[in-house]
């Protein structure tokens, strides 16, 4: 089996890699008789071509003779090679409109597409993800944004930090007033964000205290779905029902928006679930949120102020409270500043890639050598020109001519 690591084709190119040079060297050493590895040359990666060569990995411009191709972000349609097996984040399983053409092309080209997001163990837990790093960088960016908006402190951008240690060193410069911060998300993203909050020594408080008490220091509340969603019929909440039938629920997040000044959003969102609030709500005088870091970055999703994604080069935009329109960042003191970078781990690409590669080495590399590996079968979106049973629900998404 010949494994290829493709050059990232999206623009701007992602600096992350699925595996580091040392990881590929170790894989080649352990599975040398069963698989060979080659890397497509790239001037953009956080790890240079020379680092791969120094690790004993072949680097070529053309790796189209590979059987299995690993990337990170979506592969542009014109770069897809017929009949190959691909691993990447396809961003199609929520029926994202902007990637409909990609999935159609995958089917037309008889590609086997295995999506990292769908790689799960037998209990249904994801086994490979950049979530922790998205949470760390997203929360850091929330405070960078708050510092720029208030002129209370200045820290350098996350992508200017050499590593996680340097990032934590920057956080020591943060001086906060008694601001109330809301965090959503209890998975990798939420836990990554908590690393930053804990580094700043910000205390966690209960929902009741967050809503009703005054504090003379910064505090945060970590919300679960049950804290801001309620059944439409009677105001109750049942976790299993919520995840199975989210359309039966409505949001009552407004009370948190009235109490908090910052929102760090890292919760998974089902398209059938209610939004946290509506765009018209931000015009209300008691809507206090002024900085929103949408780490999950679902455009058109649970945070309606996420009008578009932002970029590492241009990380923040403002939303005018009266018109709901996007305006330049920090132009009006009264507007809401939104950080919605959709590739946050790319700001610390070497460390995030290393952790991701450890997960792939553990779960995917051995599975590639198994016949009909269960973990790979469950994550296969398309094969031989058809959607798999698990993802047959995407049929109308693919055939829609909108």
């Amino acid at each position: 089996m010949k494994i290829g690591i493709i050059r990232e084709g999206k623009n701007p190119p992602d600096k992350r890699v699925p595996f580091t040079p040392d990881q590929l060297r170790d894989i080649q050493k352990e599975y040398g008789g069963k698989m060979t590895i080659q890397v497509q040359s790239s001037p953009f990666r956080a790890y240079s071509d020379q680092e791969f060569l120094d690790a004993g990995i072949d680097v070529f411009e053309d790796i189209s003779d590979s059987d299995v191709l690993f990337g990170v972000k979506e592969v542009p349609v014109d770069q897809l090679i017929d009949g190959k097996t691909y691993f990447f984040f396809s961003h199609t399983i929520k029926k994202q409109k902007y990637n409909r053409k990609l999935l159609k092309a995958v089917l037309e080209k008889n590609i086997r597409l295995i999506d990292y997001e769908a790689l799960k163990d037998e209990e249904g837990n994801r086994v490979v993800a950049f979530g922790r790093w998205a949470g760390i960088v997203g929360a850091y960016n929330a405070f960078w944004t708050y510092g720029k908006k208030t002129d209370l402190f200045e820290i350098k951008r996350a992508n200017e930090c050499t590593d996680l240690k340097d990032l934590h060193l920057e956080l020591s410069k943060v001086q906060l007033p008694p601001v109330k911060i809301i965090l959503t998300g209890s998975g990798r993203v939420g836990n990554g964000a908590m690393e930053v909050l804990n580094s700043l020594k910000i205390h966690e408080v209960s929902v009741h205290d967050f809503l009703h008490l005054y504090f003379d220091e910064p505090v945060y509340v970590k919300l679960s779905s049950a804290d801001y969603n309620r059944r439409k019929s009677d105001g109750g909440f049942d976790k299993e029902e919520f995840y199975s039938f989210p359309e039966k629920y409505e949001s009552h997040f407004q009370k948190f928006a009235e109490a908090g000044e910052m929102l760090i959003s890292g919760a998974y969102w089902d398209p059938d679930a209610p939004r946290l609030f509506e765009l018209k709500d931000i015009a209300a005088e008691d809507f206090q949120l002024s900085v929103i870091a949408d780490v999950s970055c679902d455009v058109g999703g649970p945070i309606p102020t996420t009008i578009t994604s932002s970029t590492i080069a241009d990380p923040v935009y403002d939303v005018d409270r009266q018109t709901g329109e996007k305006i330049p960042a920090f132009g009006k003191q009264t507007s809401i500043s939104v950080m919605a970078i959709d590739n946050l781990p790319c700001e610390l690409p070497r460390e995030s890639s290393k952790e991701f590669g450890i997960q792939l080495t553990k779960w995917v590399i051995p599975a590639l050598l198994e016949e009909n590996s269960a973990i790979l079968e469950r994550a296969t979106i398309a094969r031989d020109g058809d959607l798999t049973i698990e993802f047959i629900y995407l049929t109308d998404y693919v055939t829609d001519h909108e």
Side-chain angles (χ1 to χ4, degrees), residues 143 176 179-183 197 202 210 219-221 262 264:
F143 291 103
L176 293 170
V179 59
K180 286 183 170 181
I181 303 159
I182 302 161
L183 171 65
L197 293 166
I202 300 173
F210 185 88
V219 295
Y220 79 93
V221 65
M262 292 176 66
I264 301 171

Side-chain angles (χ1 to χ4, degrees), residues 61-81:
E61 178 59 32
D62 183 2
I63 59 168
S64 59
D65 60 339
S66 301
D67 304 300
V68 180
L69 295 160
F70 284 87
V72 177
K73 300 287 276 187
E74 304 99 308
V75 177
V77 169
D78 62 352
Q79 294 177 23
L80 291 168
I81 305 172

Side-chain angles (χ1 to χ4, degrees), residues 63-103:
I63 59 168
S64 59
D65 60 339
S66 301
D67 304 300
V68 180
L69 295 160
F70 284 87
V72 177
K73 300 287 276 187
E74 304 99 308
V75 177
V77 169
D78 62 352
Q79 294 177 23
L80 291 168
I81 305 172
D82 293 31
K84 301 295 184 183
T85 293
Y86 277 91
F87 285 82
F88 57 84
F89 288 107
S90 72
H91 299 295
T92 58
I93 61 179
K94 290 186 189 176
K95 301 185 179 182
Q96 291 96 322
K97 289 184 179 180
Y98 59 92
N99 280 332
R100 181 185 285 123
K101 288 181 181 177
L102 171 63
L103 189 52

Side-chain angles (χ1 to χ4, degrees), residues 14-251:
D14 202 293
K15 294 182 179 182
R16 291 172 291 175
V17 292
F19 301 92
T20 69
D22 287 348
Q23 288 166 348
L24 291 181
R25 179 195 61 213
D26 293 343
I27 291 167
Q28 198 158 258
K29 186 177 179 181
E30 184 170 351
Y31 300 97
K34 298 174 182 175
M35 61 175 64
T36 57
I37 300 170
Q38 55 186 359
V39 171
Q40 188 174 24
S41 177
S42 170
F44 307 112
R45 291 191 187 102
Y47 293 89
S48 67
D49 287 356
Q50 191 59 50
E51 286 179 277
F52 286 101
L53 291 168
D54 290 345
I57 305 300
D58 291 329
V59 178
F60 301 109
E61 178 59 32
D62 183 2
I63 59 168
S64 59
D65 60 339
S66 301
D67 304 300
V68 180
L69 295 160
F70 284 87
V72 177
K73 300 287 276 187
E74 304 99 308
V75 177
V77 169
D78 62 352
Q79 294 177 23
L80 291 168
I81 305 172
D82 293 31
K84 301 295 184 183
T85 293
Y86 277 91
F87 285 82
F88 57 84
F89 288 107
S90 72
H91 299 295
T92 58
I93 61 179
K94 290 186 189 176
K95 301 185 179 182
Q96 291 96 322
K97 289 184 179 180
Y98 59 92
N99 280 332
R100 181 185 285 123
K101 288 181 181 177
L102 171 63
L103 189 52
K104 289 176 83 164
V106 163
L107 295 169
E108 289 165 4
K109 293 174 180 286
N110 294 316
I111 286 167
R112 181 183 185 187
L113 171 59
I114 302 175
D115 194 306
Y116 294 131
E117 196 172 347
L119 285 165
K120 298 177 181 179
D121 61 20
E122 292 179 358
E123 283 75 49
N125 301 307
R126 287 185 63 185
V127 294
V128 296
F130 282 101
R132 176 190 169 221
W133 295 92
I136 290 170
V137 177
Y140 179 92
N141 284 349
F143 291 103
W144 178 86
T145 303
Y146 189 81
K148 291 287 285 186
K149 189 175 186 68
T150 60
D151 281 331
L152 290 174
F153 56 87
E154 188 170 330
I155 54 176
K156 63 186 180 184
R157 291 288 311 283
N159 65 332
E160 296 169 347
C161 297
T162 53
D163 53 22
L164 187 57
K165 184 179 178 183
D166 190 26
L167 184 140
H168 281 292
L169 195 63
E170 282 299 298
L171 287 171
S172 66
K173 302 174 184 177
V174 172
Q175 298 290 327
L176 293 170
V179 59
K180 286 183 170 181
I181 303 159
I182 302 161
L183 171 65
T184 66
S186 55
R188 286 184 173 92
V189 174
N191 290 334
M194 281 183 67
E195 289 184 41
V196 170
L197 293 166
N198 292 337
S199 177
L200 289 167
K201 296 181 172 56
I202 300 173
H203 292 120
E204 182 178 4
V205 297
S206 69
V207 168
H208 176 275
D209 290 355
F210 185 88
L211 293 174
H212 300 291
L213 298 186
Y214 170 80
F215 296 90
D216 58 6
E217 62 177 346
V219 295
Y220 79 93
V221 65
K222 186 177 183 183
L223 302 182
S224 68
S225 298
D227 293 319
Y228 55 90
N229 290 289
R230 63 189 174 199
R231 195 183 296 111
K232 293 175 183 176
S233 60
D234 62 2
F237 185 88
D238 179 271
K239 187 175 180 180
E240 279 192 29
E241 182 188 53
F242 176 71
Y243 286 110
S244 299
F245 305 101
E247 66 277 5
K248 293 184 178 182
Y249 285 76
E250 64 183 5
S251 171

